[in-house]
Amino acid sequence: MDRVMKEDLVKEIGRVLAGLLEERGDQGEVPEIVLEVPRQPEHGDFACSFAMALAKRLRQPPRAIAEEIVERLGDARGLLVGAEVAGPGFINMRLAPAAWQGLVPTILAAGSEFGSSSLGTGQKLQVEHVSANPTGPLSTGHGRQGILGDCLARLLEKVGYEVTREYYFNDGGRQMRVLGDSVKARYLEELGKAAPPPAKALEDPENAWVTEVEGLPVAFPADGYQGEYIRDIARVLLESHSEALVDEPGDGLFRDFAQKEIFKDIDATLASIGIRFDVYFNEKSLYEDGKVEEAVADLRARDLISESDGAVWFTATNLGLDRDRVVIKSSGEPTYLLPDIAYHREKYRRGFDRMIDVQGADHIEQFPFVRSAVGALGFEEDRLELVMHQFVTITSGGQRVKQSTRRATFVTVDELVEEVGSDVFRFFMIERKPEGHLDFDLDLAKDKNWRKNPAYYVQYAHARSHGIERKAQEEGVSLPSSESLDPGRLELPEEIELLRKLGEFPGMVERSAQMREPHHVAYYLRDLAGLWNPYLQDGTRHRVISEDEGLTAARLGLVLAVRVVLAEGLGLLGLSAPERM
């Protein structure tokens, strides 16, 4: 429902309640008026239960109070066509058609601002997502996280927040050393100075690893990165340096070059699916700037650091958590938790009002420790949020596609986008609840039939509005403005139903942003397209351009209003809004 229209109705109800309380000599405040949308349409457009809250104050049964309110409210100055009491004191209200019809000029006047709000005005919010280390191509799990974070950022901007998109990465540590050693090993193999490990050894490195094959040493690390992209990087180095790098350590030029090449590919992948970042934060800077040492010292000062078995522990049990965690191993190497704590403290120091970490289910165990640590360091824990998503599986022909990250046999984002396109990829990745497992149906995603593929079904609904506009131009019919049309001509039940759905858009956007659940936008778009496409299919009953100029203008206004909302919704999901399909 349009925000202004809802505010007007709440104002009318408030006026009635204030009068009732005054007559009864009650000087207390008017109770909050909350309008809810009933689950069943036959119960009206809105329901409220404030009569229950007044029963004790007025010493009267809530149903009797509700009946008196309904009688006094009447048509709420033209907003209602009816109101009735249900159950012990609920009030169900039906809006007058004019209330819905008035949405058309409202939407046309607002244009792309329809659905925007000031909910987050003046607040700085950070969304950290993807944050994959540069060790290989992005997997479908990274893809889901990227789309989830990007759609969330778009939603939050729509409702007024100042959003910073951030990518956190680590180009140091053990992972990067293994990357460099993997590339060097492939380089030596290309030169014939080393042998690749046998397949059996790669499948079971603990029990079947070998150090030599046919007289040549096996240089490849047992836990190395096995993807073909590693060999491709090695070949580039071979082409540019020939044999000059034979004595170069893996943890040097090989690592640095591989990291740059992989990061370049990651950036290209993200750009191909419409994801951008404002800040790239390197974990290494936390060490260089002394932030990690500072975090340990400050936690120690709060009696939250202990030492045992040569390791340094974060004594999280002192903060009510179920166990303590190692932050520095006995080898002197920090665990992932320690720089995470330092990094999140820096987020607070940078002045964000709220920070959202978008992470996979494999990170959920770590989050409470990070949150508790920054809380102990003097920051408000509830300003730091976690949006968690589950894993992605791909099915084709009714069978699950087998994937292995260790063997680098996983389907990459690039491969999937090449098959289905960016728009379909994004829609399929966002149309499920993040906390639910996502089964990516490759056959459906590749299907070009707009009636079957949900992404195309929504986009086609938008494209049809442009088709109608082109037909109007061919017939010399001008498009109406918000002032020139009479929306009262939109009288059919299916037209009112469409208008009701359009009126839900602003509230849906705010709720989705507040709940951090952008999949509701995809649900909404499918519902709206599910009303719009059948409406246009019936070219007799719902003929848009006819000899009736007034009806033509009203229906063209409806076409434009639906287009505005579809375009805005598609934009929130990062999909294109095509004019032709």
Side-chain angles (χ1 to χ4, degrees):
M1 181 182 184
D2 177 63
R3 192 177 293 105
V4 174
M5 187 169 32
K6 189 173 185 177
E7 288 173 357
D8 287 345
L9 181 54
V10 168
K11 194 180 299 181
E12 281 301 305
I13 296 171
R15 179 183 59 80
V16 169
L17 282 179
L20 178 63
L21 292 172
E22 185 180 352
E23 287 181 15
R24 302 292 176 85
D26 188 317
Q27 301 299 316
E29 292 186 0
V30 174
E32 182 183 7
I33 300 164
V34 178
L35 299 182
E36 298 178 342
V37 178
R39 292 184 179 180
Q40 298 174 327
E42 58 268 25
H43 291 166
D45 297 309
F46 293 102
C48 53
S49 59
F50 48 77
M52 314 278 201
L54 288 172
K56 189 174 182 180
R57 286 172 62 178
L58 298 182
R59 300 178 182 178
Q60 192 176 359
R63 185 176 178 90
I65 297 171
E67 288 171 347
E68 186 169 354
I69 290 170
V70 166
E71 183 178 348
R72 290 173 178 242
L73 186 61
D75 68 356
R77 302 190 182 186
L79 287 172
L80 298 178
V81 74
E84 56 190 30
V85 179
F90 294 101
I91 300 176
N92 295 332
M93 292 168 281
R94 301 179 190 279
L95 289 176
W100 297 116
Q101 292 158 346
L103 275 171
V104 174
T106 298
I107 294 172
L108 298 189
S112 62
E113 290 302 308
F114 186 68
S116 299
S117 78
S118 58
L119 178 71
T121 300
Q123 297 185 62
K124 294 173 63 180
L125 193 149
Q126 183 215 51
V127 178
E128 182 216 328
H129 62 120
V130 182
S131 296
N133 289 334
T135 56
L138 294 181
S139 67
T140 51
H142 292 129
R144 184 181 194 187
Q145 184 178 134
I147 302 305
L148 175 58
D150 184 64
C151 291
L152 184 54
R154 291 168 186 258
L155 261 176
L156 292 165
E157 286 176 333
K158 183 74 172 173
V159 297
Y161 287 95
E162 179 185 339
V163 179
T164 296
R165 297 160 166 85
E166 185 147 318
Y167 188 121
Y168 174 71
F169 69 97
N170 175 19
D171 63 357
R174 183 180 172 282
Q175 278 188 321
M176 302 308 295
R177 290 195 297 274
V178 173
L179 175 68
D181 290 342
S182 301
V183 174
K184 180 174 181 182
R186 295 310 192 195
Y187 169 82
L188 294 175
E189 290 169 16
E190 290 293 314
L191 284 171
K193 296 181 181 294
K200 285 185 178 180
L202 291 171
E203 290 173 6
D204 185 12
E206 282 192 26
N207 301 306
W209 196 254
V210 295
T211 58
E212 186 178 296
V213 174
E214 297 180 359
L216 285 174
V218 172
F220 195 82
D223 56 352
Y225 292 96
Q226 300 178 30
E228 189 61 25
Y229 67 96
I230 297 293
R231 194 174 292 279
D232 291 340
I233 294 170
R235 286 170 179 154
V236 173
L237 287 170
L238 179 61
E239 186 176 334
S240 59
H241 292 82
S242 188
E243 298 188 23
L245 303 179
V246 170
D247 296 324
E248 183 76 21
D251 190 23
L253 184 147
F254 286 99
R255 180 203 64 207
D256 294 343
F257 183 78
Q259 176 237 310
K260 289 176 183 176
E261 288 298 296
I262 292 171
F263 231 138
K264 190 193 306 177
D265 289 341
I266 288 174
D267 281 343
T269 298
L270 294 172
S272 75
I273 52 176
I275 295 176
R276 65 171 181 82
F277 289 94
D278 304 303
V279 175
Y280 287 85
F281 194 105
N282 192 337
E283 179 185 299
K284 189 191 301 182
S285 67
L286 295 169
Y287 292 94
E288 294 172 344
D289 297 340
K291 301 301 182 184
V292 174
E293 289 182 8
E294 181 188 351
V296 174
D298 289 347
L299 288 171
R300 192 185 299 276
R302 289 163 173 78
D303 200 26
L304 293 171
I305 291 291
S306 62
E307 297 184 18
S308 176
D309 300 324
V312 178
W313 294 72
F314 169 42
T315 51
T317 49
N318 289 356
L319 298 174
L321 276 75
D322 61 348
R323 60 193 175 91
D324 298 333
R325 290 280 302 275
V326 173
V327 288
I328 302 176
K329 302 175 187 177
S330 57
S331 64
E333 184 178 7
T335 64
Y336 292 128
L337 178 59
L338 181 53
D340 261 6
I341 292 171
Y343 171 52
H344 283 82
R345 175 153 80 165
E346 292 312 300
K347 289 186 180 186
Y348 281 90
R349 287 172 166 175
R350 287 158 61 191
F352 295 112
D353 295 292
R354 301 199 73 80
M355 294 137 287
I356 300 174
D357 288 0
V358 183
Q359 297 180 341
D362 53 334
H363 287 82
I364 193 170
E365 192 268 347
Q366 176 123 314
F367 185 76
F369 292 91
V370 173
R371 199 178 189 193
S372 294
V374 293
L377 291 172
F379 299 97
E380 299 170 53
E381 291 184 34
D382 62 2
R383 286 165 55 197
L384 178 61
E385 306 175 31
L386 173 67
V387 173
M388 183 272 293
H389 67 89
Q390 285 289 353
F391 300 102
V392 179
T393 56
I394 300 172
T395 57
S396 181
Q399 300 294 317
R400 180 175 294 184
V401 177
K402 293 183 179 180
Q403 302 189 72
S404 168
T405 303
R406 186 174 68 82
R407 299 176 191 171
T409 56
F410 59 87
V411 178
T412 67
V413 171
D414 286 336
E415 291 168 337
L416 210 49
V417 171
E418 187 176 349
E419 287 209 58
V420 305
S422 175
D423 283 346
V424 173
F425 177 84
R426 288 189 67 112
F427 195 90
F428 275 56
M429 284 294 181
I430 202 62
E431 68 171 341
R432 295 285 182 267
K433 293 180 180 180
E435 64 270 23
H437 171 79
L438 193 151
D439 183 6
F440 194 104
D441 186 338
L442 185 57
D443 298 326
L444 180 60
K446 290 166 66 175
D447 198 325
K448 301 296 184 184
N449 188 330
W450 68 271
R451 297 178 186 275
K452 296 179 181 179
N453 189 314
Y456 293 144
Y457 188 74
V458 174
Q459 288 182 315
Y460 186 60
H462 180 271
R464 293 177 88 164
S465 70
H466 283 276
I468 294 169
E469 179 182 347
R470 289 191 293 272
K471 185 179 180 185
Q473 290 173 343
E474 290 169 6
E475 298 188 16
V477 178
S478 300
L479 296 180
S481 66
S482 58
E483 298 87 8
S484 66
L485 60 86
D486 175 13
R489 297 298 304 276
L490 300 170
E491 301 173 312
L492 295 177
E494 48 269 46
E495 291 168 340
I496 299 299
E497 188 177 10
L498 269 165
L499 292 169
R500 286 180 53 154
K501 179 57 66 174
L502 294 178
E504 293 174 11
F505 184 70
M508 181 277 299
V509 169
E510 277 203 355
R511 286 193 304 275
S512 299
Q514 288 174 310
M515 296 167 67
R516 318 304 195 220
E517 294 183 340
H519 66 277
H520 291 294
V521 180
Y523 289 175
Y524 173 87
L525 290 175
R526 290 186 71 167
D527 288 346
L528 178 56
L531 296 174
W532 186 234
N533 283 323
Y535 178 86
L536 295 179
Q537 287 296 104
D538 188 346
T540 302
R541 178 173 168 83
H542 306 140
R543 185 179 176 188
V544 175
I545 302 171
S546 67
E547 295 178 359
D548 186 332
E549 293 183 3
L551 183 59
T552 295
R555 286 182 172 171
L556 281 173
L558 178 60
V559 168
L560 297 177
V562 170
R563 180 198 297 179
V564 166
V565 174
L566 285 172
E568 286 306 296
L570 287 165
L572 290 174
L573 299 185
L575 272 70
S576 64
E579 297 184 9
R580 297 176 185 269
M581 286 183 70

PDB file of all heavy atoms in Angstrom, residues 156-169:
ATOM      1  N   LEU A 156      19.578  -1.634   0.647  1.00  0.00           N
ATOM      2  CA  LEU A 156      19.862  -0.692   1.732  1.00  0.00           C
ATOM      3  C   LEU A 156      20.031   0.727   1.195  1.00  0.00           C
ATOM      4  O   LEU A 156      19.609   1.694   1.835  1.00  0.00           O
ATOM      5  CB  LEU A 156      21.109  -1.140   2.488  1.00  0.00           C
ATOM      6  CG  LEU A 156      20.919  -2.446   3.284  1.00  0.00           C
ATOM      7  CD1 LEU A 156      22.252  -3.034   3.691  1.00  0.00           C
ATOM      8  CD2 LEU A 156      20.041  -2.209   4.508  1.00  0.00           C
ATOM      9  N   GLU A 157      20.625   0.868   0.022  1.00  0.00           N
ATOM     10  CA  GLU A 157      20.733   2.188  -0.594  1.00  0.00           C
ATOM     11  C   GLU A 157      19.357   2.712  -0.983  1.00  0.00           C
ATOM     12  O   GLU A 157      19.084   3.919  -0.856  1.00  0.00           O
ATOM     13  CB  GLU A 157      21.638   2.113  -1.824  1.00  0.00           C
ATOM     14  CG  GLU A 157      23.111   1.985  -1.480  1.00  0.00           C
ATOM     15  CD  GLU A 157      23.998   1.824  -2.696  1.00  0.00           C
ATOM     16  OE1 GLU A 157      23.522   1.309  -3.736  1.00  0.00           O
ATOM     17  OE2 GLU A 157      25.175   2.207  -2.620  1.00  0.00           O
ATOM     18  N   LYS A 158      18.472   1.832  -1.417  1.00  0.00           N
ATOM     19  CA  LYS A 158      17.125   2.236  -1.813  1.00  0.00           C
ATOM     20  C   LYS A 158      16.356   2.855  -0.651  1.00  0.00           C
ATOM     21  O   LYS A 158      15.522   3.752  -0.849  1.00  0.00           O
ATOM     22  CB  LYS A 158      16.360   1.020  -2.360  1.00  0.00           C
ATOM     23  CG  LYS A 158      14.957   1.298  -2.880  1.00  0.00           C
ATOM     24  CD  LYS A 158      14.956   2.015  -4.204  1.00  0.00           C
ATOM     25  CE  LYS A 158      13.549   2.108  -4.792  1.00  0.00           C
ATOM     26  NZ  LYS A 158      13.507   2.953  -6.014  1.00  0.00           N
ATOM     27  N   VAL A 159      16.654   2.384   0.570  1.00  0.00           N
ATOM     28  CA  VAL A 159      15.930   2.916   1.730  1.00  0.00           C
ATOM     29  C   VAL A 159      16.763   3.941   2.497  1.00  0.00           C
ATOM     30  O   VAL A 159      16.484   4.226   3.665  1.00  0.00           O
ATOM     31  CB  VAL A 159      15.458   1.783   2.666  1.00  0.00           C
ATOM     32  CG1 VAL A 159      14.474   0.876   1.948  1.00  0.00           C
ATOM     33  CG2 VAL A 159      16.636   0.977   3.211  1.00  0.00           C
ATOM     34  N   GLY A 160      17.788   4.483   1.848  1.00  0.00           N
ATOM     35  CA  GLY A 160      18.434   5.672   2.396  1.00  0.00           C
ATOM     36  C   GLY A 160      19.779   5.517   3.056  1.00  0.00           C
ATOM     37  O   GLY A 160      20.395   6.523   3.439  1.00  0.00           O
ATOM     38  N   TYR A 161      20.271   4.291   3.229  1.00  0.00           N
ATOM     39  CA  TYR A 161      21.568   4.126   3.886  1.00  0.00           C
ATOM     40  C   TYR A 161      22.707   4.554   2.955  1.00  0.00           C
ATOM     41  O   TYR A 161      22.616   4.414   1.730  1.00  0.00           O
ATOM     42  CB  TYR A 161      21.803   2.669   4.269  1.00  0.00           C
ATOM     43  CG  TYR A 161      20.987   2.191   5.445  1.00  0.00           C
ATOM     44  CD1 TYR A 161      19.773   1.527   5.248  1.00  0.00           C
ATOM     45  CD2 TYR A 161      21.415   2.389   6.749  1.00  0.00           C
ATOM     46  CE1 TYR A 161      19.013   1.066   6.310  1.00  0.00           C
ATOM     47  CE2 TYR A 161      20.659   1.928   7.830  1.00  0.00           C
ATOM     48  CZ  TYR A 161      19.464   1.273   7.607  1.00  0.00           C
ATOM     49  OH  TYR A 161      18.715   0.834   8.657  1.00  0.00           O
ATOM     50  N   GLU A 162      23.787   5.046   3.562  1.00  0.00           N
ATOM     51  CA  GLU A 162      25.031   5.275   2.838  1.00  0.00           C
ATOM     52  C   GLU A 162      25.849   3.989   2.966  1.00  0.00           C
ATOM     53  O   GLU A 162      26.343   3.655   4.046  1.00  0.00           O
ATOM     54  CB  GLU A 162      25.798   6.452   3.448  1.00  0.00           C
ATOM     55  CG  GLU A 162      27.118   6.752   2.759  1.00  0.00           C
ATOM     56  CD  GLU A 162      27.915   7.842   3.461  1.00  0.00           C
ATOM     57  OE1 GLU A 162      27.307   8.634   4.211  1.00  0.00           O
ATOM     58  OE2 GLU A 162      29.148   7.876   3.267  1.00  0.00           O
ATOM     59  N   VAL A 163      25.975   3.247   1.876  1.00  0.00           N
ATOM     60  CA  VAL A 163      26.522   1.887   1.926  1.00  0.00           C
ATOM     61  C   VAL A 163      27.940   1.844   1.359  1.00  0.00           C
ATOM     62  O   VAL A 163      28.210   2.390   0.284  1.00  0.00           O
ATOM     63  CB  VAL A 163      25.627   0.898   1.148  1.00  0.00           C
ATOM     64  CG1 VAL A 163      26.219  -0.510   1.185  1.00  0.00           C
ATOM     65  CG2 VAL A 163      24.214   0.887   1.725  1.00  0.00           C
ATOM     66  N   THR A 164      28.818   1.172   2.078  1.00  0.00           N
ATOM     67  CA  THR A 164      30.170   0.888   1.602  1.00  0.00           C
ATOM     68  C   THR A 164      30.270  -0.611   1.356  1.00  0.00           C
ATOM     69  O   THR A 164      30.025  -1.410   2.261  1.00  0.00           O
ATOM     70  CB  THR A 164      31.240   1.315   2.627  1.00  0.00           C
ATOM     71  OG1 THR A 164      31.197   2.728   2.799  1.00  0.00           O
ATOM     72  CG2 THR A 164      32.632   0.907   2.164  1.00  0.00           C
ATOM     73  N   ARG A 165      30.624  -0.973   0.131  1.00  0.00           N
ATOM     74  CA  ARG A 165      30.817  -2.388  -0.225  1.00  0.00           C
ATOM     75  C   ARG A 165      32.295  -2.725  -0.055  1.00  0.00           C
ATOM     76  O   ARG A 165      33.144  -2.082  -0.646  1.00  0.00           O
ATOM     77  CB  ARG A 165      30.384  -2.624  -1.670  1.00  0.00           C
ATOM     78  CG  ARG A 165      28.902  -2.366  -1.952  1.00  0.00           C
ATOM     79  CD  ARG A 165      28.710  -2.145  -3.447  1.00  0.00           C
ATOM     80  NE  ARG A 165      27.326  -2.214  -3.878  1.00  0.00           N
ATOM     81  CZ  ARG A 165      26.481  -1.204  -3.843  1.00  0.00           C
ATOM     82  NH1 ARG A 165      26.886  -0.018  -3.394  1.00  0.00           N
ATOM     83  NH2 ARG A 165      25.236  -1.341  -4.273  1.00  0.00           N
ATOM     84  N   GLU A 166      32.570  -3.755   0.722  1.00  0.00           N
ATOM     85  CA  GLU A 166      33.980  -4.051   1.049  1.00  0.00           C
ATOM     86  C   GLU A 166      34.346  -5.508   0.769  1.00  0.00           C
ATOM     87  O   GLU A 166      33.550  -6.425   1.009  1.00  0.00           O
ATOM     88  CB  GLU A 166      34.242  -3.721   2.521  1.00  0.00           C
ATOM     89  CG  GLU A 166      35.701  -3.874   2.933  1.00  0.00           C
ATOM     90  CD  GLU A 166      36.096  -2.875   3.996  1.00  0.00           C
ATOM     91  OE1 GLU A 166      35.682  -1.704   3.873  1.00  0.00           O
ATOM     92  OE2 GLU A 166      36.794  -3.263   4.949  1.00  0.00           O
ATOM     93  N   TYR A 167      35.569  -5.680   0.278  1.00  0.00           N
ATOM     94  CA  TYR A 167      36.148  -6.990  -0.021  1.00  0.00           C
ATOM     95  C   TYR A 167      37.397  -7.130   0.848  1.00  0.00           C
ATOM     96  O   TYR A 167      38.337  -6.361   0.722  1.00  0.00           O
ATOM     97  CB  TYR A 167      36.502  -7.046  -1.509  1.00  0.00           C
ATOM     98  CG  TYR A 167      36.934  -8.383  -2.066  1.00  0.00           C
ATOM     99  CD1 TYR A 167      36.229  -8.976  -3.104  1.00  0.00           C
ATOM    100  CD2 TYR A 167      38.071  -9.039  -1.600  1.00  0.00           C
ATOM    101  CE1 TYR A 167      36.626 -10.196  -3.644  1.00  0.00           C
ATOM    102  CE2 TYR A 167      38.476 -10.248  -2.134  1.00  0.00           C
ATOM    103  CZ  TYR A 167      37.752 -10.826  -3.161  1.00  0.00           C
ATOM    104  OH  TYR A 167      38.157 -12.025  -3.696  1.00  0.00           O
ATOM    105  N   TYR A 168      37.404  -8.130   1.719  1.00  0.00           N
ATOM    106  CA  TYR A 168      38.529  -8.377   2.627  1.00  0.00           C
ATOM    107  C   TYR A 168      39.294  -9.591   2.127  1.00  0.00           C
ATOM    108  O   TYR A 168      38.691 -10.624   1.810  1.00  0.00           O
ATOM    109  CB  TYR A 168      37.970  -8.630   4.024  1.00  0.00           C
ATOM    110  CG  TYR A 168      38.971  -9.051   5.081  1.00  0.00           C
ATOM    111  CD1 TYR A 168      39.907  -8.157   5.576  1.00  0.00           C
ATOM    112  CD2 TYR A 168      38.937 -10.344   5.616  1.00  0.00           C
ATOM    113  CE1 TYR A 168      40.796  -8.539   6.575  1.00  0.00           C
ATOM    114  CE2 TYR A 168      39.815 -10.735   6.612  1.00  0.00           C
ATOM    115  CZ  TYR A 168      40.749  -9.829   7.086  1.00  0.00           C
ATOM    116  OH  TYR A 168      41.621 -10.216   8.070  1.00  0.00           O
ATOM    117  N   PHE A 169      40.598  -9.475   2.023  1.00  0.00           N
ATOM    118  CA  PHE A 169      41.358 -10.611   1.495  1.00  0.00           C
ATOM    119  C   PHE A 169      42.713 -10.719   2.193  1.00  0.00           C
ATOM    120  O   PHE A 169      43.196  -9.783   2.830  1.00  0.00           O
ATOM    121  CB  PHE A 169      41.556 -10.470  -0.016  1.00  0.00           C
ATOM    122  CG  PHE A 169      42.483  -9.350  -0.419  1.00  0.00           C
ATOM    123  CD1 PHE A 169      43.817  -9.592  -0.702  1.00  0.00           C
ATOM    124  CD2 PHE A 169      42.019  -8.040  -0.516  1.00  0.00           C
ATOM    125  CE1 PHE A 169      44.667  -8.557  -1.069  1.00  0.00           C
ATOM    126  CE2 PHE A 169      42.855  -6.999  -0.881  1.00  0.00           C
ATOM    127  CZ  PHE A 169      44.196  -7.262  -1.154  1.00  0.00           C
TER     128      PHE A 169
END
